[in-house]
Amino acid sequence: MKRKLKLPILLLAVVIMLSVFYIKEANSNGSNSTPANSDDLTMSALNPEFTEARLLGIEEANAQIQIWEEMIASGDLSADEVLETSALIDDLRDLKHKEASLEEVIMDELSYDDVLVVAKDSNVYVDVYTDNEITKLAAVKIAKLAQTSFGTEYT
């Protein structure tokens, strides 16, 4: 059973490593053209600190999910506890998906070079990488986008 639980985590790690490889390969080819669509992964290569923070966040989330999955697999939890733990896993995955989605939306709508979104302790932190000055209007728009994505329980 534990072997089956480790497979999705292994697959996610492989996807991340391939993504990092693709980003490095695209940068080493010297292509300065803009991506053809938003599915290209070159955005993360602009700010290595953002890329590192993203990977660290994914690693932390995966480690917590693995702990919860091992608790479920151990068989020591009651049916209610299994449901609660499964809900925690789903919530964490949903949170990470919302972070990535908000990053893409902000970059698309406000044309920033790179954006890092971290939701932690009922707060959403947005860090923007750009050469231009961030206006108050842009900051308000970012706050509204974050509230739309995460809801009112986050500030």
Side-chain angles (χ1 to χ4, degrees), residues 57-58 61 91-101 118-119:
I58 291 170
D91 290 346
L92 183 55
R93 286 181 177 150
D94 186 48
L95 182 70
K96 290 299 174 187
H97 176 71
K98 285 179 182 178
E99 288 176 352
S101 296
V118 178

Side-chain angles (χ1 to χ4, degrees), residues 9-91:
I9 294 171
L10 175 65
L11 291 174
L12 180 62
V14 169
V15 168
I16 292 169
M17 293 304 294
L18 287 173
S19 298
V20 170
F21 174 77
Y22 176 78
I23 291 167
K24 288 182 180 179
E25 195 65 31
N27 285 339
S28 68
N29 290 338
S31 66
N32 291 331
S33 62
T34 58
N37 59 39
S38 62
D39 293 333
D40 291 334
L41 299 174
T42 56
M43 65 178 184
S44 296
L46 294 174
N47 190 336
E49 290 86 16
F50 284 11
T51 303
E52 184 178 333
R54 281 187 197 101
L55 291 175
L56 182 61
I58 291 170
E59 287 174 4
E60 289 173 357
N62 286 339
Q64 185 61 52
I65 288 171
Q66 183 175 3
I67 290 169
W68 287 332
E69 287 177 340
E70 287 174 359
M71 288 171 52
I72 292 171
S74 71
D76 295 338
L77 301 178
S78 68
D80 289 337
E81 291 172 328
V82 169
L83 290 175
E84 290 175 15
T85 305
S86 295
L88 290 172
I89 291 171
D90 291 341
D91 290 346

Side-chain angles (χ1 to χ4, degrees), residues 44 55 120 145 153:
S44 296
L55 291 175
K120 191 173 190 173
L145 289 170
E153 68 269 5

